[in-house]
Amino acid sequence: MTEIDSLVITTLAERPSLLSRMYEIAETWPAFIPHDPVGEALLGRVAEDFPRYCVVATDGDRVVARGLSVPFTADLEGREEMPDKGWDQVLVWAFRDQRHGHAPTAVSALEITVDTAYLGRGLSYRMLAALRDAAGRQGHDVLLAPVRPTAKHVEPRVPMAEYVGRQRDDGLPTDPWLRVHVKAGGTIQKIAPASMTVSGSLSQWRRWTGLPFTSDGDVDVPGALVPVHCDTAHDRAVYVEPNVWIRHEVKPPTT
């Protein structure tokens, strides 16, 4: 694993001119993921509304990675730091709190995306560290993350709790992305069983996946962490994605 010496990683607040280029990255997200309605409504606003919590990496003039996180208020009635609805919930809370002027008490990562040409070079570790640093500079001592294990899609029928419990001989998680977080000092806390939901008609799912969706029941979809439930009588299929809450302690800023 070779790091790239020419990389520059900063918050978006420090380089606002890159706002319009955050999504130039060649990425491999499954085609159905952008159709989570919460993400469709709010994710595109995160970098603009919370630039101090978002980081970007460039190699020369090329944008090669982005990291997004949001602040939210965890101590209001009915809330918690690590909700079962995970990714969707903290994203909704972040914008609601911003609108109502609630002081944030927690920070949650939303995504780290690395250009496919830059995978395997240690950049994910550096982006995670940059998100932790960004949270620390805003006065937070913890960064939370509803993590999407990158290899879980290979075994969609395995319960997430069982999958998360798998370890290598060295005690680290078998999943590569969970392993990055744990090696970086994160601790696995709990499962977020309904972190993201994508619902659509069967024709939409056929378009997103190329699969027939002609039979009732669970359908294994490439890129999905769990099966998609197909209901032909009602012309719909629903994907409810579990994530894994990981907690990172944040060191105070050195300057």
Side-chain angles (χ1 to χ4, degrees), residues 4 12 23 31 36 50 80 91 96 108 136 151 165 170 174 195-197 202 209 212 215:
I4 310 159
L12 195 60
Y23 290 89
D36 164 61
F50 305 102
E80 57 182 318
L91 188 51
R96 185 177 298 166
S108 176
D170 60 6
T174 56
S195 195
M196 176 184 292
T197 300
L202 299 185
T209 67
S215 300

Short mmCIF file of all heavy atoms in Angstrom, two decimals, residues 4 12 23 31 36 50 80 91 96 108 136 151 165 170 174 195-197 202 209 212 215:
data_model
loop_
_atom_site.label_atom_id
_atom_site.label_comp_id
_atom_site.label_asym_id
_atom_site.label_seq_id
_atom_site.Cartn_x
_atom_site.Cartn_y
_atom_site.Cartn_z
N ILE A 4 0.10 8.57 -1.48
CA ILE A 4 0.36 9.50 -2.57
C ILE A 4 0.84 10.81 -1.97
O ILE A 4 0.11 11.53 -1.31
CB ILE A 4 -0.92 9.72 -3.39
CG1 ILE A 4 -1.55 8.37 -3.75
CG2 ILE A 4 -0.65 10.52 -4.64
CD1 ILE A 4 -3.00 8.45 -4.10
N LEU A 12 -13.75 21.54 3.10
CA LEU A 12 -14.32 22.28 1.98
C LEU A 12 -14.42 23.76 2.32
O LEU A 12 -14.37 24.61 1.43
CB LEU A 12 -15.70 21.71 1.64
CG LEU A 12 -16.26 22.13 0.29
CD1 LEU A 12 -15.36 21.70 -0.85
CD2 LEU A 12 -17.66 21.56 0.10
N TYR A 23 -18.32 15.88 -6.94
CA TYR A 23 -18.85 14.63 -7.49
C TYR A 23 -18.23 14.28 -8.85
O TYR A 23 -18.81 13.53 -9.62
CB TYR A 23 -20.38 14.72 -7.58
CG TYR A 23 -21.01 14.71 -6.19
CD1 TYR A 23 -21.21 15.89 -5.49
CD2 TYR A 23 -21.34 13.51 -5.57
CE1 TYR A 23 -21.74 15.88 -4.20
CE2 TYR A 23 -21.88 13.49 -4.29
CZ TYR A 23 -22.07 14.67 -3.61
OH TYR A 23 -22.59 14.65 -2.35
N ALA A 31 -26.44 1.30 -8.32
CA ALA A 31 -27.33 2.25 -8.98
C ALA A 31 -28.56 2.59 -8.17
O ALA A 31 -29.15 3.67 -8.34
CB ALA A 31 -27.75 1.70 -10.34
N ASP A 36 -32.50 6.43 -2.32
CA ASP A 36 -32.98 6.60 -0.96
C ASP A 36 -33.57 8.01 -0.87
O ASP A 36 -32.88 8.99 -1.17
CB ASP A 36 -31.81 6.45 0.02
CG ASP A 36 -32.13 6.98 1.41
OD1 ASP A 36 -33.08 6.46 2.02
OD2 ASP A 36 -31.44 7.91 1.86
N PHE A 50 -22.64 22.47 5.32
CA PHE A 50 -21.75 22.09 6.42
C PHE A 50 -20.30 21.94 5.94
O PHE A 50 -19.66 20.91 6.14
CB PHE A 50 -22.22 20.77 7.05
CG PHE A 50 -23.64 20.79 7.52
CD1 PHE A 50 -24.65 20.19 6.78
CD2 PHE A 50 -23.99 21.44 8.71
CE1 PHE A 50 -25.97 20.21 7.21
CE2 PHE A 50 -25.31 21.46 9.15
CZ PHE A 50 -26.30 20.85 8.40
N GLU A 80 -31.00 9.92 20.19
CA GLU A 80 -29.82 9.28 20.75
C GLU A 80 -28.66 9.49 19.78
O GLU A 80 -28.86 9.86 18.63
CB GLU A 80 -30.06 7.78 20.97
CG GLU A 80 -30.48 7.04 19.69
CD GLU A 80 -30.76 5.58 19.94
OE1 GLU A 80 -30.00 4.95 20.69
OE2 GLU A 80 -31.74 5.05 19.37
N LEU A 91 -28.98 12.43 9.05
CA LEU A 91 -29.05 13.42 7.98
C LEU A 91 -30.27 14.31 8.15
O LEU A 91 -30.19 15.55 8.03
CB LEU A 91 -29.07 12.71 6.62
CG LEU A 91 -28.95 13.57 5.36
CD1 LEU A 91 -27.75 14.50 5.43
CD2 LEU A 91 -28.86 12.67 4.13
N ARG A 96 -32.67 19.59 10.27
CA ARG A 96 -33.70 20.11 11.18
C ARG A 96 -33.07 20.98 12.26
O ARG A 96 -33.58 22.06 12.59
CB ARG A 96 -34.47 18.94 11.80
CG ARG A 96 -35.65 19.36 12.68
CD ARG A 96 -36.37 18.13 13.19
NE ARG A 96 -36.94 17.35 12.10
CZ ARG A 96 -37.38 16.10 12.23
NH1 ARG A 96 -37.31 15.49 13.41
NH2 ARG A 96 -37.89 15.46 11.20
N SER A 108 -21.74 12.99 12.82
CA SER A 108 -21.78 11.68 12.16
C SER A 108 -21.19 11.79 10.77
O SER A 108 -21.57 12.67 9.99
CB SER A 108 -23.21 11.16 12.06
OG SER A 108 -23.24 9.94 11.34
N GLY A 136 -12.98 17.65 15.33
CA GLY A 136 -12.25 18.19 16.48
C GLY A 136 -12.11 19.69 16.44
O GLY A 136 -12.22 20.37 17.47
N ALA A 151 -17.74 -5.53 1.99
CA ALA A 151 -17.82 -6.90 1.45
C ALA A 151 -19.10 -7.62 1.86
O ALA A 151 -19.30 -8.77 1.47
CB ALA A 151 -16.60 -7.71 1.88
N GLY A 165 -19.37 -9.87 13.60
CA GLY A 165 -18.61 -10.60 14.60
C GLY A 165 -17.44 -11.40 14.04
O GLY A 165 -16.62 -11.91 14.81
N ASP A 170 -5.74 -12.03 13.58
CA ASP A 170 -5.14 -10.93 14.36
C ASP A 170 -6.17 -10.16 15.18
O ASP A 170 -5.84 -9.16 15.81
CB ASP A 170 -4.37 -9.98 13.45
CG ASP A 170 -5.25 -9.34 12.37
OD1 ASP A 170 -6.48 -9.55 12.39
OD2 ASP A 170 -4.69 -8.63 11.50
N THR A 174 -13.02 -9.09 9.58
CA THR A 174 -12.73 -9.64 8.25
C THR A 174 -13.14 -8.66 7.15
O THR A 174 -12.54 -8.65 6.08
CB THR A 174 -13.45 -10.97 8.04
OG1 THR A 174 -14.86 -10.79 8.23
CG2 THR A 174 -12.95 -12.02 9.01
N SER A 195 -30.86 1.68 8.40
CA SER A 195 -30.07 2.88 8.19
C SER A 195 -30.44 3.63 6.92
O SER A 195 -30.29 4.84 6.84
CB SER A 195 -28.58 2.52 8.16
OG SER A 195 -27.77 3.66 8.29
N MET A 196 -30.94 2.90 5.94
CA MET A 196 -31.29 3.49 4.65
C MET A 196 -32.40 2.66 4.03
O MET A 196 -32.38 1.43 4.12
CB MET A 196 -30.06 3.52 3.73
CG MET A 196 -30.32 4.04 2.33
SD MET A 196 -28.84 3.94 1.28
CE MET A 196 -27.79 5.16 2.06
N THR A 197 -33.36 3.31 3.40
CA THR A 197 -34.47 2.59 2.77
C THR A 197 -34.67 3.07 1.34
O THR A 197 -34.77 4.27 1.10
CB THR A 197 -35.78 2.78 3.56
OG1 THR A 197 -35.61 2.30 4.89
CG2 THR A 197 -36.92 2.03 2.90
N LEU A 202 -41.62 -2.14 -9.38
CA LEU A 202 -40.82 -3.22 -9.94
C LEU A 202 -40.11 -2.78 -11.22
O LEU A 202 -38.99 -3.21 -11.49
CB LEU A 202 -41.70 -4.44 -10.20
CG LEU A 202 -42.37 -5.02 -8.95
CD1 LEU A 202 -43.12 -6.30 -9.30
CD2 LEU A 202 -41.36 -5.27 -7.84
N THR A 209 -31.32 -2.45 -11.65
CA THR A 209 -30.52 -3.65 -11.43
C THR A 209 -30.38 -4.58 -12.63
O THR A 209 -29.48 -5.41 -12.66
CB THR A 209 -31.13 -4.49 -10.28
OG1 THR A 209 -32.41 -5.01 -10.70
CG2 THR A 209 -31.30 -3.64 -9.03
N PRO A 212 -35.12 -9.41 -13.20
CA PRO A 212 -36.53 -9.49 -13.64
C PRO A 212 -37.55 -9.03 -12.62
O PRO A 212 -38.59 -8.47 -13.01
CB PRO A 212 -36.70 -10.98 -13.96
CG PRO A 212 -35.65 -11.69 -13.18
CD PRO A 212 -34.48 -10.74 -13.14
N SER A 215 -40.96 -12.49 -9.22
CA SER A 215 -41.43 -13.44 -8.21
C SER A 215 -41.45 -12.78 -6.84
O SER A 215 -40.58 -11.97 -6.51
CB SER A 215 -40.51 -14.67 -8.17
OG SER A 215 -40.48 -15.32 -9.41
#
